[in-house]
Amino acid sequence: MAIEFGDTQRSLSDTLNGMIGSIRGNTITLRDLMTGIGEQGFLLLCALLTLPFLLPVSIPGVSTVFGAAIILISISITLNRLPWMPQRILDRQIETEKLVPTLQKGAALVSKLDRFVRPRFGFLTQGALMNRFNGLMIMAGGVLLMFPLGLIPLSNTLPGIAILLLSLGIIQRDGLMVAGGYLFLIATTVYFTVLAYMAVAAGQGLSNFFVS
């Protein structure tokens, strides 16, 4: 089934706070989050899934689960099809006691963006070609988010911001937000490349130390 992403009339923060307010019980699954998000679109779910990474709070296993979900959603955006997700991902339990406060703080941060998000630079958000390209960019952000670097500062935050900006930009046809997402993807790639270079250099240094 094809997906049509219409312009939203309700502010993003109002939508997120409404969804967060509907969370009940000690745990929640990704399936429940997807049901609660309603018809506003799976891009909004992508934006929601980045919120835990906007704060210096670590929830074990979240980057893997949420990153995988973002990748699968991005595939559906790229192919213009409703997303399929494995039952293991959809039904994995996440503790609401840790998740809800983090999402609330993240939503408060997102609310600051409401005044700035509006339709502009339409060439970056309109047409099937750009829709597929932006889907691929969100996919790249999901891959970067899943890298096992959770203990390294900004390793989850940078790709999380990139996905958030891309999602917001596509939802509300804001090409400036989309361009910001591109920039954060580039920054994340550069950052990870530097980390990889430093790790290789450190490994070579240790090797030379023990060999000599």
Side-chain angles (χ1 to χ4, degrees), residues 46 49 60 91 200:
C46 278
L49 294 177
D91 295 331
V200 171

Side-chain angles (χ1 to χ4, degrees), residues 54-90:
L54 304 184
L55 301 166
V57 176
S58 177
I59 305 177
V62 167
S63 64
T64 301
V65 175
F66 283 15
I70 288 170
I71 290 172
L72 291 171
I73 292 171
S74 69
I75 292 174
S76 74
I77 295 169
T78 304
L79 300 178
N80 202 32
R81 295 288 186 275
L82 289 176
W84 173 88
M85 294 187 184
Q87 185 174 347
R88 180 181 178 184
I89 293 177
L90 286 173

Side-chain angles (χ1 to χ4, degrees), residues 169-186:
I170 300 170
I171 289 170
Q172 299 189 336
R173 302 294 187 256
D174 191 338
L176 185 60
M177 284 280 184
V178 170
Y182 297 161
L183 290 177
F184 270 94
L185 280 180
I186 294 171

Side-chain angles (χ1 to χ4, degrees), residues 27 36-37 42 56-57 67 71 74 77 91 97 101 104 123 126 137 162 169 183 192 205 208 211:
T27 62
I37 210 74
F42 288 101
V57 176
I71 290 172
S74 69
I77 295 169
D91 295 331
E97 181 180 3
Q104 289 173 334
F123 65 93
Q126 296 175 355
M137 292 301 98
L183 290 177
F192 283 9
N208 292 335
V211 170

